[in-house]
């Protein structure tokens, strides 16, 4: 008993015990059915006696053939964490009756079979079918003779599934209970018995602690013993669950599956969605509880399996999802609406659009720009509907924001065309103009947003002014604007954007020749946003380069690329590849540098960011010693207002570089 939670761990010992048991009965004729179990136990440890058992079974026309690993799998006993119940039932005294309550699949049968006694499964059909194995034919003539025969029995009976026992046997057992024979009787049942017993055991789902030795097992099964068994036997959980659901009415099944479709258990919402009366809902919840499918609060067990089951029946899943979605709002409803696409109606479109906008906003907040675009893309098909007119401006604004975050600046600007020039729109336009090298327009838009907008528009405008100052080499101004923006984002309780502004301040600090490592690592420790973390890793790389720590810089840039791809930001990936190219360039690793620059150029082209394209071309020209290409790239930078960056390219060249010598000529 000391190793009860993992009794299958020692197969050698199990085979040894099986051999001893077999030797005890060897003189007699073993039951043919028992040979199967002996063979499985012995095969699990490759015991030589298994061959003898196989030959003996062949004499009964039983073909035994199983590999060691399969035998071990079959012997996995899913009798986890039932020590208390087993001890309780083993302690029965003569004349005492006990019941094991639990829903289908909660392990009642397994528990009964662990006990010593005469196991009697429920049977239907002829009168007294369940008790028939205990009765000689001559006593079956009347209930009185049956009772007279059974009242003096001793030993222990194990009666499984009370509710499925034939009515005549149920009646005999009820009467026998009153007589108190010197028997121990243990029954299993899903519902209360019609008489009192001495001991009750209620089997619930296994808790997470009981399954801690099996990573992922609790999450997949919710602790349902039948599903635990299926999982460890590598059987499809949804098929096992489907068999369990067949015991329920169609309405009870819908309630269970609807509860499983929600992130958090909400029986009230499900009741409203399925239009069920409160008292009837309470009865069904009690039924689900008794069947071990939910806990008392309505939390669903085996949620993963339930949702897989629904995936196999889309015509059933979609109406349920739509009914639930109509009871929810915005982001909470989004995924449910997506599951119900086949059943959308015109009246649902405004709610679907609002849900998509809210979902996209949440994705942007968490740094997943590309996924936000995917959520918003279907709305293009519905913009022409009159009942979505009030949402059109918001849809375009969020699409523009998502394009900007993913580095698709031209597309972002196109989304804002035709919209009224609100401070929020102008603030975003300013950032886009700055990215696209249109410095004058960027400043004008930022100043309007700064003067006439709300706090959010002012914060965005300050961020744009910071970007402009950085590109023009005004690093002190850039740091000041960034810290002012950070203060406004703090006031607006937007930590992600506050950290983004502080990141920009750290960039300015770096450009001023100061060590910003501590600042960057502090911001990194506070952020879970992959896009911001990518930008922070970029700046950490620059900081490491400033300290001549090339290996650490390379690691930071590679991590920035991974995070940028996770977030769907081509602009950030372009910068990281460009910086990697520069590292290899300085190390005279021309092939690696060229490959990285080309990757950077490919990403930069997708963004349309002229400043980035020109900088990468300048680096590539320097690597290839293409003086004309280098001059053209620097002219591009100067023409779009990034003279400071062009000057930095000139200053970074060593004195002996042919470009320097040629320019002196």
């Amino acid at each position: 008993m000391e190793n009860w939670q993992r009794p299958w761990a020692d197969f050698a010992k199990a085979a040894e015990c099986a051999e001893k048991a077999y030797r005890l009965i060897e003189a007699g004729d073993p039951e043919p059915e028992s040979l199967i179990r002996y063979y499985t136990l012995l095969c699990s440890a490759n015991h030589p006696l298994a061959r003898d058992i196989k030959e003996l079974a062949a004499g009964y026309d039983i073909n035994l053939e199983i590999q060691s690993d399969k035998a071990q799998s079959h012997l996995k006993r899913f009798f986890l964490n039932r020590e208390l119940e087993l001890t309780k039932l083993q302690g029965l005294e003569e004349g005492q009756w006990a019941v094991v309550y639990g829903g289908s699949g909660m392990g009642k049968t397994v528990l009964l079979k662990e006990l010593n006694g005469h196991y009697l499964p429920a049977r239907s059909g002829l009168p007294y079918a369940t008790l028939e194995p205990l009765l000689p034919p001559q006593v079956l003539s009347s209930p009185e003779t049956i009772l007279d025969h059974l009242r003096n029995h001793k030993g222990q009976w194990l009666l499984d599934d009370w509710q499925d026992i034939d009515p005549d046997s149920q009646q005999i057992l009820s009467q026998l209970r009153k007589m108190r024979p010197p028997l121990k009787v243990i029954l299993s049942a899903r519902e209360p018995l019609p008489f009192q017993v001495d001991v009750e055991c209620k089997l619930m789902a296994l808790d997470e602690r009981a399954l801690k030795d099996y990573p992922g097992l609790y999450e997949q099964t919710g602790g349902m013993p039948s599903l635990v068994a299926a999982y460890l036997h590598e059987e499809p959980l949804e098929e096992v669950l489907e068999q369990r659901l067949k015991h329920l009415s169609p309405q009870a099944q819908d309630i269970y599956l609807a509860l499983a479709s929600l992130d958090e258990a909400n029986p009230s919402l499900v009741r409203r969605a399925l239009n069920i009366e409160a008292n009837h809902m309470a009865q069904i919840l009690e039924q689900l509880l008794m069947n071990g499918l939910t806990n008392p609060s309505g939390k669903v067990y085996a949620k993963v399996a339930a949702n897989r089951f629904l995936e196999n029946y889309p015509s059933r899943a979609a109406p349920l999802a739509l009914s639930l979605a109509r009871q929810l709002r915005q982001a909470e409803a989004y995924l449910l609406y997506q599951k119900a696409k086949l059943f959308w109606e015109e009246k649902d479109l405004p709610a679907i659009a609002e849900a998509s906008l809210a979902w996209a906003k949440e994705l942007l907040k968490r740094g997943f720009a590309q996924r936000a675009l995917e959520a918003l893309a279907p709305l293009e098909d519905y913009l022409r509907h009159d009942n979505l007119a009030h949402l059109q401006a918001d849809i375009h604004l969020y699409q523009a924001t998502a394009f900007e975050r993913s580095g698709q600046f031209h597309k972002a600007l196109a989304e804002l065309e035709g919209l009224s020039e609100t401070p929020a729109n102008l603030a975003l336009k300013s950032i886009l103009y700055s990215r696209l090298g249109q410095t004058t327009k960027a400043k004008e838009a930022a100043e309007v947003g700064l003067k006439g907008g709300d706090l959010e528009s002012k914060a965005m405008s300050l961020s744009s002014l910071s970007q402009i100052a950085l590109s023009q080499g005004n690093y002190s101004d850039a740091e000041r604007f960034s810290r002012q923006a950070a203060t406004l984002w703090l006031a607006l309780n937007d930590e992600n954007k506050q950290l983004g502004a502080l990141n920009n301040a750290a960039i300015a600090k770096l450009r001023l020749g100061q060590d910003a490592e501590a600042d960057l690592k502090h911001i990194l420790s506070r952020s879970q946003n992959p896009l911001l973390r990518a930008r922070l890793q970029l700046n950490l790389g620059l900081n490491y380069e400033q300290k001549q720590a090339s290996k650490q810089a390379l690691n930071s840039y590679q991590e920035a690329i991974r995070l940028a791809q996770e977030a769907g930001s081509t602009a950030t990936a372009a910068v990281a590849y460009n910086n990697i190219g520069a590292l290899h360039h300085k190390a005279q690793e021309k092939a690696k540098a060229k490959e990285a620059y080309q990757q950077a150029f490919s990403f930069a082209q997708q963004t349309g960011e002229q400043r980035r394209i020109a900088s990468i071309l300048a680096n590539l020209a320097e690597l290839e010693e293409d003086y004309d290409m280098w001059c053209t790239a620097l002219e591009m930078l100067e023409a779009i207002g990034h003279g400071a960056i062009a000057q930095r390219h000139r200053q970074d060249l060593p004195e002996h570089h042919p470009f320097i010598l040629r320019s002196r000529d």
Side-chain angles (χ1 to χ4, degrees):
M1 295 293 290
E2 67 277 2
N3 195 27
W4 191 260
Q5 288 194 359
R6 287 183 292 175
W8 57 81
D10 194 341
F11 291 108
K13 191 168 184 178
E16 181 185 337
C17 292
E19 181 189 14
K20 289 179 181 177
Y22 178 74
R23 299 298 185 200
L24 288 174
I25 64 162
E26 195 173 17
D29 293 326
E31 294 289 334
E33 295 81 5
S34 67
L35 296 177
I36 298 172
R37 182 157 179 78
Y38 283 120
Y39 184 73
T40 305
L41 285 163
L42 294 164
C43 275
S44 71
N46 291 313
H47 195 287
L49 181 59
R51 290 191 297 272
D52 297 340
I53 299 293
K54 181 178 179 179
E55 291 174 5
L56 182 60
Y60 292 98
D61 290 328
I62 299 173
N63 182 32
L64 297 179
E65 193 68 59
I66 191 169
Q67 299 300 316
S68 175
D69 58 340
K70 290 289 185 183
Q72 291 180 7
S73 177
H74 285 307
L75 288 172
K76 284 178 179 174
R77 301 203 5 233
F78 316 110
F79 195 69
L80 306 172
N81 211 35
R82 299 298 194 205
E83 304 97 318
L84 293 177
E85 291 87 349
L86 187 70
T87 302
K88 197 174 183 180
L89 295 171
Q90 286 175 329
L92 286 186
E93 298 178 0
E94 282 192 359
Q96 286 192 316
W97 288 44
V99 62
V100 178
Y101 285 122
S104 173
M106 294 305 291
K108 302 185 300 298
T109 299
V110 174
L111 183 56
L112 288 186
K113 288 186 174 181
E114 287 298 319
L115 297 161
N116 293 321
H118 198 137
Y119 176 73
L120 297 165
R123 296 167 66 190
S124 58
L126 292 171
Y128 313 113
T130 303
L131 292 174
E132 189 176 3
L134 301 171
L135 304 171
Q138 63 269 23
V139 306
L140 288 170
S141 56
S142 69
E144 290 77 16
T145 57
I146 293 174
L147 280 169
D148 189 56
H149 176 78
L150 295 177
R151 66 193 305 170
N152 295 316
H153 269 232
K154 292 185 178 181
Q156 183 160 275
W157 296 350
L158 308 166
L159 289 136
D160 209 356
D161 290 322
W162 168 266
Q163 63 284 340
D164 297 326
I165 291 175
D166 64 278
D168 298 284
S169 293
Q170 285 185 348
Q171 189 176 2
I172 290 292
L173 288 167
S174 297
Q175 292 176 306
L176 198 62
R177 169 63 180 151
K178 297 175 185 175
M179 296 179 177
R180 293 277 181 173
L183 269 171
K184 300 177 185 178
V185 179
I186 303 174
L187 305 106
S188 76
R190 293 197 293 268
E191 298 173 358
L193 297 175
F195 49 79
Q196 296 293 316
V197 296
D198 304 291
V199 175
E200 288 188 4
C201 292
K202 290 186 178 180
L203 299 187
M204 303 300 288
L206 300 167
D207 60 25
E208 197 166 0
R209 178 185 57 82
L211 305 177
K212 61 181 174 60
D213 292 331
Y214 306 92
L217 181 54
Y218 181 79
E219 290 75 11
Q220 291 286 326
T221 65
M224 282 188 193
S226 59
L227 294 183
V228 170
Y231 182 91
L232 293 174
H233 273 147
E234 299 180 356
E235 297 170 358
L237 300 186
E238 57 272 24
E239 292 180 12
V240 178
L241 181 64
E242 184 173 8
Q243 292 303 313
R244 295 198 57 195
L245 293 179
K246 287 180 179 178
H247 293 286
L248 303 176
S249 68
Q251 192 172 53
Q253 291 179 30
D254 282 347
I255 290 172
Y256 169 75
L257 294 170
L259 287 168
S261 300
L262 297 171
D263 289 336
E264 297 291 337
N266 193 334
S268 298
L269 185 145
V270 170
R271 178 177 62 79
R272 294 193 303 273
L274 302 183
N275 195 25
I276 299 171
E277 292 183 2
N279 61 340
H280 189 43
M281 182 73 176
Q283 292 171 5
I284 292 177
L285 287 174
E286 181 69 21
Q287 184 183 358
L288 295 177
L289 178 64
M290 288 300 298
N291 278 276
L293 292 165
T294 64
N295 72 3
S297 68
K299 178 184 176 182
V300 167
Y301 295 129
K303 187 172 181 176
V304 172
N307 282 295
R308 281 186 191 163
F309 169 79
L310 277 172
E311 287 172 6
N312 294 332
Y313 298 96
S315 61
R316 185 174 188 178
L320 272 180
L322 185 59
S323 296
L324 292 169
R326 285 171 174 169
Q327 297 295 319
L328 293 166
R329 290 187 59 77
Q330 300 199 348
E332 287 184 301
Y334 175 78
L335 292 178
L336 289 165
Y337 273 126
Q338 298 312 299
K339 293 178 182 178
K341 279 184 178 180
L342 293 174
F343 290 82
W344 284 359
E345 298 178 21
E346 184 114 356
K347 66 180 182 181
D348 294 311
L349 292 182
I352 292 165
E354 288 177 0
S356 300
L357 283 171
W359 187 256
K361 184 177 181 180
E362 188 61 31
L363 287 171
L364 288 170
K365 181 179 177 182
R366 299 187 184 197
F368 297 101
Q370 192 58 45
R371 287 168 62 183
L373 285 170
E374 290 166 7
L376 292 167
L379 296 182
E380 290 285 350
D381 296 335
Y382 307 117
L383 285 176
R384 62 183 179 276
H385 287 273
D386 292 338
N387 55 2
L388 290 185
H390 66 293
L391 293 173
Q392 289 187 20
D394 283 343
I395 292 171
H396 285 299
L397 179 59
Y398 279 120
Q399 284 180 319
T401 303
F403 279 129
E404 185 270 327
R405 300 279 177 84
S406 65
Q408 301 177 71
F409 304 124
H410 283 300
K411 288 184 178 180
L413 201 55
E415 287 293 332
L416 295 176
E417 294 301 325
L419 296 185
S420 59
E421 295 201 331
T422 64
N425 291 354
L426 284 168
L428 181 55
K429 275 188 174 181
S430 175
I431 291 172
L432 293 168
Y433 287 139
S434 173
R435 290 288 196 176
L436 294 169
Q438 300 177 43
T439 307
T440 302
K441 284 186 175 182
K443 279 186 176 179
E444 289 172 356
E447 285 166 2
V448 174
L450 199 58
K451 292 175 182 176
D454 54 15
L455 286 184
E456 184 171 358
S457 300
K458 288 179 179 178
M460 289 176 67
S461 297
L462 284 166
S463 295
S464 179
L465 290 171
S466 172
Q467 291 282 354
I468 295 167
L470 275 173
S471 68
Q472 294 181 331
N474 301 324
Y475 303 129
S476 296
D477 286 346
E479 184 177 14
R480 177 168 55 84
F481 287 138
S482 294
R483 295 200 179 279
Q484 287 175 345
T487 301
L488 292 181
W489 290 124
L490 177 62
L492 290 164
N493 198 30
D494 192 328
E495 183 183 38
N496 185 59
K497 289 181 180 176
Q498 180 211 1
L499 295 177
L502 291 175
N503 175 46
N504 290 339
I507 299 173
K509 194 173 178 179
L510 271 174
R511 294 301 183 202
L512 288 167
Q514 300 172 24
D515 186 355
E517 183 176 352
D519 295 349
L520 292 166
K521 285 186 173 179
H522 176 67
I523 301 168
L524 194 61
S525 70
R526 292 174 58 188
S527 176
Q528 297 301 316
N529 183 303
L531 178 55
L532 177 55
R533 290 177 67 83
R535 291 171 176 170
L536 286 162
Q537 288 288 358
L538 273 178
N539 295 332
L540 265 176
L542 290 172
N543 200 86
Y544 287 134
E545 280 198 73
Q546 196 165 279
K547 295 179 176 181
Q548 307 299 314
S550 299
K551 187 175 181 180
Q552 287 174 287
L554 182 61
N555 290 338
S556 284
Y557 294 146
Q558 288 170 338
E559 178 64 4
I561 290 169
R562 186 190 70 79
L563 290 164
Q565 290 174 333
E566 181 185 339
S569 175
T570 52
T572 307
V575 178
Y577 272 117
N578 184 51
N579 291 1
I580 288 174
L583 273 178
H584 290 307
H585 193 159
K586 290 174 186 175
Q588 303 296 314
E589 297 169 339
K590 185 173 180 179
K592 289 182 178 180
K594 184 175 181 179
E595 182 183 354
Y597 284 147
Q598 287 173 337
Q599 286 273 31
F601 184 69
S602 175
F603 278 113
Q605 281 185 309
Q606 296 175 46
T607 72
E609 188 179 6
Q610 295 300 305
R611 174 174 70 91
R612 190 62 55 200
I613 291 171
S615 287
I616 296 166
L617 285 174
N619 286 339
L620 194 56
E622 182 189 333
L623 181 73
E624 299 287 341
E625 297 188 356
D626 187 333
Y627 182 74
D628 293 331
M629 179 180 171
W630 183 70
C631 289
T632 302
L634 297 192
E635 286 169 6
M636 283 175 61
L637 284 169
E638 289 167 340
I640 58 177
H642 294 297
I645 297 174
Q647 184 59 27
R648 199 159 64 238
H649 275 281
R650 292 187 176 94
Q651 290 173 345
D652 287 344
L653 292 180
E655 281 292 318
H656 63 275
H657 197 282
F659 291 3
I660 297 293
L661 298 175
R662 186 164 181 179
S663 62
R664 283 178 181 169
D665 292 341

